[in-house]
Amino acid sequence: VDLKDLLSQTVVLKLNGGLGTSMGLEKAKSLLPVKEGRSFLDLIADQINHLSKENSAKIQFVLMNSFSTNQDTLDALKSTHPEILTQEDLVLLQNKSPKIDAGTLKPVEWKAAPDLEWCPPGHGDIYPSLLGSGMLDRLIGKGFRYAFVSNSDNLGAVMSTDLLAHFVSSGAAFMMEVAERTEADKKGGHLARRKADGQLILRESAMCRDEDKALFQDVSLHKYFNTNNLWLDFVQLKKKMEEYDGIVPLPLIKNKKTVNPRDSTSTSVFQLETAMGSAIECFGNAAAVVVPRSRFSPVKTCNDLFSLRSDAYHLTEDFCVKLNRDTPPVIKLDDKYYKHVDKMEKLCQGGIPSLLSCNKLEVTGPVVFKSGTTFKGTCSVTNTKSEPVELPPGEYTDQQVEL
């Protein structure tokens, strides 16, 4: 297989619709600096440029933005990677759905901020957005047949030429990267085969009866979870969508939230979403491939960010973020003081401590970290007061520190 030829037929598509509200962010989550001052978006753009240069192939890059993230993302690229902005079909804009008032089951009204009446319809919207915008036809017309799709906050989701070659040679319409479930993943969805016809499906906990919960969570029985790194064959996808009048028939997910995500006392709403991975059940020739856990490295909480910004990780020459050790440190920061990025950064103005040799760190109460602090083994730091207290710099090995 000619790798350059394959890459020139492949689109790298990043899902970039999330605001990171659970981490207290109000802009696109991908703009958050994660390593050496570079944001997720910077790292993705640098990876694309590096891949194009190394393989003498022009890589087609697509960002699936939401109405909430589009302008911020374009402004950021203008200042850091203006060369990316010159590319055609850079942005695929997600549709938007009305939030449903949980009390009336009608579209919610929120006069204080009408923008909050709308929500993104989940990443399953990738399929109707590709077709409805005309982008799917344009890309096929330009000779693009394959796509690697992943979340912009998953630092492990980098283009793999080995996986691309495997996908193309398999002839599958759809391929999902899965990783082995551990006890930590038991509540999340898993890959399964439908007994009736042997079809691969994604099974979520919401689809599972209460009496089946124990079996659902048995990681020795259901061994694999979806990393949300997917490979698509555009030609076969278009054919499938034509069969279903322009859609991929995905199950609907009902998420309960508040109309203002930053105000837990605001009106309760349902956000109706679909997940793109559920499409695995729509293709008779769908495939799954088991990948190392390193291809699933999402940043969902400030615990993840704290670890990532430390010396437990390094940035490689090809702009990938890699562990400096076998397994990541287990970090448990007090949600009351560290849940939001701005609060965490305020308490870590002196820099993130060294975690290179740290197995586990638990922080309770507001603790201020200064430069020159190192944790090794299993440590905990506790401040029982509500006022921040500074931890004296130094090396802490298997210690429980009370301030």
Side-chain angles (χ1 to χ4, degrees), residues 2-272:
D2 183 334
L3 202 55
K4 184 179 173 183
D5 187 43
L6 273 190
L7 282 169
S8 65
Q9 297 176 59
T10 303
V11 173
V12 175
L13 197 157
K14 291 286 179 179
L15 305 174
N16 188 49
L19 285 177
T21 47
S22 62
M23 294 170 74
L25 302 173
E26 292 180 336
K27 285 193 169 187
K29 186 179 179 182
S30 61
L31 305 185
L32 179 66
V34 282
K35 199 68 184 166
E36 295 179 14
R38 283 183 164 87
S39 67
F40 292 105
L41 189 64
D42 292 330
L43 292 170
I44 292 163
D46 287 337
Q47 287 166 13
I48 295 288
N49 287 339
H50 180 82
L51 194 63
S52 296
K53 196 172 163 188
E54 283 288 293
N55 294 281
S56 307
K58 180 75 177 146
I59 309 290
Q60 172 70 37
F61 179 38
V62 177
L63 281 163
M64 181 160 150
N65 293 341
S66 68
F67 60 94
S68 311
T69 62
N70 191 46
Q71 198 53 53
D72 289 339
T73 300
L74 295 177
D75 290 346
L77 283 173
K78 192 175 180 182
S79 66
T80 60
H81 291 85
E83 74 286 352
I84 296 269
L85 286 175
T86 61
Q87 190 194 272
E88 287 181 6
D89 284 318
L90 173 67
V91 173
L92 174 64
L93 204 54
Q94 220 178 355
N95 293 299
K96 57 182 181 178
S97 299
K99 294 177 184 176
I100 306 299
D101 188 312
T104 65
L105 297 185
K106 292 180 178 174
V108 74
E109 285 190 28
W110 195 248
K111 291 187 169 66
D115 279 357
L116 293 176
E117 295 171 359
W118 297 88
C119 64
H123 42 60
D125 188 59
I126 183 173
Y127 308 116
S129 291
L130 273 169
L131 189 69
S133 65
M135 187 184 282
L136 184 60
D137 286 326
R138 285 197 302 276
L139 290 173
I140 291 172
K142 290 179 193 171
F144 293 105
R145 173 147 192 181
Y146 309 106
F148 170 53
V149 186
S150 60
N151 294 359
S152 62
D153 69 348
N154 179 7
L155 289 168
V158 295
M159 164 57 90
S160 160
T161 49
D162 287 345
L163 283 167
L164 170 61
H166 171 72
F167 174 58
V168 172
S169 63
S170 76
F174 178 106
M175 185 173 79
M176 175 185 287
E177 293 184 31
V178 297
E180 291 189 25
R181 284 170 104 203
T182 65
E183 279 299 305
D185 312 306
K186 68 181 186 182
K187 290 184 179 174
H190 65 78
L191 187 69
R193 279 200 186 274
R194 198 160 49 207
K195 284 182 177 175
D197 56 2
Q199 176 64 40
L200 284 171
I201 60 167
L202 251 195
R203 194 161 165 257
E204 301 290 345
S205 58
M207 301 156 68
C208 178
R209 291 197 300 255
D210 287 344
E211 60 266 30
D212 196 30
K213 283 279 193 279
L215 286 171
F216 177 91
Q217 294 183 8
D218 183 346
V219 299
S220 64
L221 178 66
H222 301 297
K223 294 179 179 176
Y224 305 108
F225 73 91
N226 171 26
T227 62
N228 227 33
N229 301 346
L230 304 179
W231 298 81
L232 305 173
D233 178 324
F234 280 158
V235 174
Q236 295 187 66
L237 172 65
K238 189 183 177 199
K239 191 179 170 195
K240 178 62 66 175
M241 293 185 80
E242 284 170 348
E243 282 175 34
Y244 286 96
D245 293 330
I247 63 158
V248 177
L250 304 176
L252 211 55
I253 301 162
K254 185 174 76 172
N255 281 325
K256 194 163 188 184
K257 308 248 177 167
T258 52
V259 67
N260 181 351
R262 291 178 72 89
D263 178 5
S264 59
T265 64
S266 62
T267 305
S268 286
V269 293
F270 293 123
Q271 292 186 194
L272 302 179

